[in-house]
Amino acid sequence: MISVTLLGAGNVATHLFKAFNASKKTTVNQWFNRNINAIHQYKNQVKITDNLNTLEKADVYIIAVSDNAISKISSSLPFNDRLVVHTSGSVNIHDLDKKHKRGVFYPLQSFSKTAKLNFKDVPICIETIDKKDYSILKEIATDLGSPVKKVNSDQRRILHLAAVFVNNFTNQLYRVAHEITESEAAEFDLLKPLILETAKKVQDISPYMAQTGPAKRNDTKTIKKHLALLNKNQHKAIYKLLTQSIQDTHGGKKL
Amino acid sequence: MISVTLLGAGNVATHLFKAFNASKKTTVNQWFNRNINAIHQYKNQVKITDNLNTLEKADVYIIAVSDNAISKISSSLPFNDRLVVHTSGSVNIHDLDKKHKRGVFYPLQSFSKTAKLNFKDVPICIETIDKKDYSILKEIATDLGSPVKKVNSDQRRILHLAAVFVNNFTNQLYRVAHEITESEAAEFDLLKPLILETAKKVQDISPYMAQTGPAKRNDTKTIKKHLALLNKNQHKAIYKLLTQSIQDTHGGKKL
């Protein structure tokens, strides 16, 4: 059994706790959170604590707290030379206190409180200062059922940035579609199969190959009609900028 | 049996042909295309023609040609008072020649040559000038297994516009993510589960509720880091505009 201590009680920590709990080779020995009420409901499944001085020995300490708090909590840990990792996409591995053996265990997925996730759909990006520490992190990630990838800090921060485009920004385009359909009493629900199909398509072919539509085929008549239909200036600006981006990618003409 | 005549040989026409061919109550009697070579391979399954004057009587004529050609081909049909529909998201029902009984049969989905589609994932938006013509269109759409929705021309053109946001523009965000990950030798493939999860999430909850990330929580430190990481001005512009849009939606502060 590999023993893990979790620090933090956000969505990532909670999903990790449940997944490790259901895994075969990994056990969560102890769970720390500054505010113990947040993890009180798990007290029959795991030792919980709000005091860093009570932390027991574990094979891996996983810090899953907000980015700003990672460095400080790693310094506050009352021990040295144990393997301490964080789970953030954008925090450098060197932000962990160098008194520890250090690593990153970054699950590249969007975690929400409610939605259930199968860890086979959660790639884990692993980085370690010392090569020797890689294998135990790979082992617990594999134990979760996750795909595992060695990713350095430069690659990780680019993945985190790219994730903002494909997750937050994409979701905002869904939001804009929701706004404009509602404004004409049209049903946003009718777009849901298209939303899924668009995401499915790039599982097999590149986004470049998957592109279609008025911007790509430089259908200026439709583009003008669309711009005239949009009421909000911000929606017009998004339409123009992304149309231009598509045309630049596919060698089309300027608007 | 309901008899259908198809006009056009693009992706929509071809998917409709195959789906009607596999359906129970609808048969494609005849398939017209100006360039007969494009449909020659189907000549053992259906009567093909490149001559509008040879068109036989059918219950429904489905015009699935490019938007610009719809009006002209509807006028060129050598008969009156039969049910003629087009499949376009952005063309008005009144662009069909008024000598016909007129309708729209708009499949709201992205059709590509290769990808297989189940018509249960293709909502059909139906409009007719005469109420009496609605039921036969609903019947053939239901026969395909599609969800069916009555949608007027105003609603349809808004849905078509919204589809550009959730399909073409979303796909371009995937493309940008592909570009920026490749530029750092990071793997775009690692983002694919996140792309799917983002699309799945809004099947059940609204895009408003689904939003997360640095823009929504006004994490200016991460936003600045991200902008500094982007090399292309266009990528920076997209990042800024969509971050602003998220902050406007969620009542955050200005950049």
Side-chain angles (χ1 to χ4, degrees), chain A residues 119-171:
Chain A
F119 269 73
K120 77 169 171 46
D121 300 319
V122 184
I124 308 271
C125 303
I126 297 179
E127 179 178 11
T128 55
I129 298 279
D130 191 328
K131 273 185 190 176
K132 282 182 286 183
D133 297 322
Y134 182 78
S135 63
I136 191 169
L137 295 179
K138 183 175 179 178
E139 203 171 339
I140 62 174
T142 305
D143 196 28
L144 294 172
S146 292
V148 182
K149 189 75 199 171
K150 202 170 184 170
V151 167
N152 67 34
S153 283
D154 284 347
Q155 292 168 326
R156 181 162 40 81
R157 64 182 187 169
I158 280 290
L159 285 167
H160 183 257
L161 168 57
V164 167
F165 279 82
V166 304
N167 178 14
N168 307 148
F169 292 169
T170 288
N171 187 73

Side-chain angles (χ1 to χ4, degrees), chain A residues 167-198:
Chain A
N167 178 14
N168 307 148
F169 292 169
T170 288
N171 187 73
Q172 184 64 9
L173 293 181
Y174 303 159
R175 164 67 191 182
V176 171
H178 199 177
E179 276 184 43
I180 62 183
T181 48
E182 277 193 342
S183 73
E184 285 286 343
E187 275 187 42
F188 175 72
D189 282 5
L190 289 168
L191 295 165
K192 288 181 176 176
L194 178 60
I195 285 171
L196 258 190
E197 182 63 23
T198 303

Side-chain angles (χ1 to χ4, degrees), chain A residues 5 27 166 171 201:
Chain A
T5 292
T27 180
V166 304
N171 187 73
K201 220 178 241 184

Side-chain angles (χ1 to χ4, degrees), chain A residues 109-110 149 155 158 160 168 171-172 184-185 187 192 194 201 203 207 211-212 226 234 245 248-249, chain B residues 110 149 155 158 160 168 171-172 184-185 187 192 194 201 203 207 211-212 226 234 245 248-249:
Chain A
Q109 190 46 278
S110 171
K149 189 75 199 171
Q155 292 168 326
I158 280 290
H160 183 257
N168 307 148
N171 187 73
Q172 184 64 9
E184 285 286 343
E187 275 187 42
K192 288 181 176 176
L194 178 60
K201 220 178 241 184
Q203 306 295 311
Q211 194 57 279
T212 60
H226 281 169
Q234 197 176 53
S245 177
D248 290 351
T249 296
Chain B
S110 171
K149 189 76 197 170
Q155 292 168 326
I158 280 289
H160 183 257
N168 307 148
N171 187 73
Q172 184 64 9
E184 285 286 342
E187 275 186 42
K192 288 181 176 177
L194 179 60
K201 221 178 241 184
Q203 306 295 313
Q211 194 56 279
T212 61
H226 280 170
Q234 198 176 52
S245 177
D248 289 352
T249 297

Side-chain angles (χ1 to χ4, degrees), chain A residues 214 222-230 239, chain B residues 157 160-161 164:
Chain A
T222 299
I223 292 168
K224 274 182 194 158
K225 272 192 201 175
H226 281 169
L227 284 169
L229 271 175
L230 290 165
Y239 190 101
Chain B
R157 62 183 188 168
H160 183 257
L161 169 57
V164 168

Side-chain angles (χ1 to χ4, degrees), chain A residues 67-68 90-92 108-112 115-117 120-123 125 149 151 154-208 210-215 217 219 221-222 225-227 229-230 234-235 237-246 248-250, chain B residues 67-68 90-92 108-112 115-117 120-123 125 149 151 154-208 210-215 217 219 221-222 225-227 229-230 234-235 237-246 248-250:
Chain A
D67 287 0
N68 302 328
S90 56
V91 172
N92 199 288
L108 208 178
Q109 190 46 278
S110 171
F111 294 91
S112 56
K116 272 188 192 171
L117 263 180
K120 77 169 171 46
D121 300 319
V122 184
C125 303
K149 189 75 199 171
V151 167
D154 284 347
Q155 292 168 326
R156 181 162 40 81
R157 64 182 187 169
I158 280 290
L159 285 167
H160 183 257
L161 168 57
V164 167
F165 279 82
V166 304
N167 178 14
N168 307 148
F169 292 169
T170 288
N171 187 73
Q172 184 64 9
L173 293 181
Y174 303 159
R175 164 67 191 182
V176 171
H178 199 177
E179 276 184 43
I180 62 183
T181 48
E182 277 193 342
S183 73
E184 285 286 343
E187 275 187 42
F188 175 72
D189 282 5
L190 289 168
L191 295 165
K192 288 181 176 176
L194 178 60
I195 285 171
L196 258 190
E197 182 63 23
T198 303
K200 278 184 191 164
K201 220 178 241 184
V202 296
Q203 306 295 311
D204 300 318
I205 61 173
S206 71
Y208 182 87
Q211 194 57 279
T212 60
R217 61 174 187 269
D219 175 354
K221 204 174 151 191
T222 299
K225 272 192 201 175
H226 281 169
L227 284 169
L229 271 175
L230 290 165
Q234 197 176 53
H235 295 169
I238 293 170
Y239 190 101
K240 281 184 192 167
L241 186 58
L242 288 169
T243 292
Q244 189 62 62
S245 177
I246 292 170
D248 290 351
T249 296
H250 293 274
Chain B
D67 287 0
N68 302 328
S90 56
V91 172
N92 199 288
L108 208 178
Q109 189 45 278
S110 171
F111 292 92
S112 56
K116 273 188 191 169
L117 262 180
K120 77 170 173 43
D121 299 319
V122 184
C125 303
K149 189 76 197 170
V151 167
D154 284 347
Q155 292 168 326
R156 181 160 40 82
R157 62 183 188 168
I158 280 289
L159 285 167
H160 183 257
L161 169 57
V164 168
F165 279 83
V166 304
N167 178 15
N168 307 148
F169 292 169
T170 288
N171 187 73
Q172 184 64 9
L173 294 181
Y174 302 160
R175 164 66 189 182
V176 171
H178 198 176
E179 276 184 43
I180 63 184
T181 47
E182 277 193 341
S183 74
E184 285 286 342
E187 275 186 42
F188 176 71
D189 282 5
L190 289 168
L191 295 165
K192 288 181 176 177
L194 179 60
I195 285 172
L196 258 190
E197 183 63 23
T198 303
K200 279 183 191 166
K201 221 178 241 184
V202 295
Q203 306 295 313
D204 300 318
I205 61 173
S206 71
Y208 182 88
Q211 194 56 279
T212 61
R217 62 175 186 269
D219 174 355
K221 203 175 152 190
T222 300
K225 272 192 200 175
H226 280 170
L227 284 169
L229 271 176
L230 289 165
Q234 198 176 52
H235 295 169
I238 293 170
Y239 190 101
K240 281 184 193 168
L241 185 57
L242 289 170
T243 292
Q244 188 64 62
S245 177
I246 292 171
D248 289 352
T249 297
H250 293 274

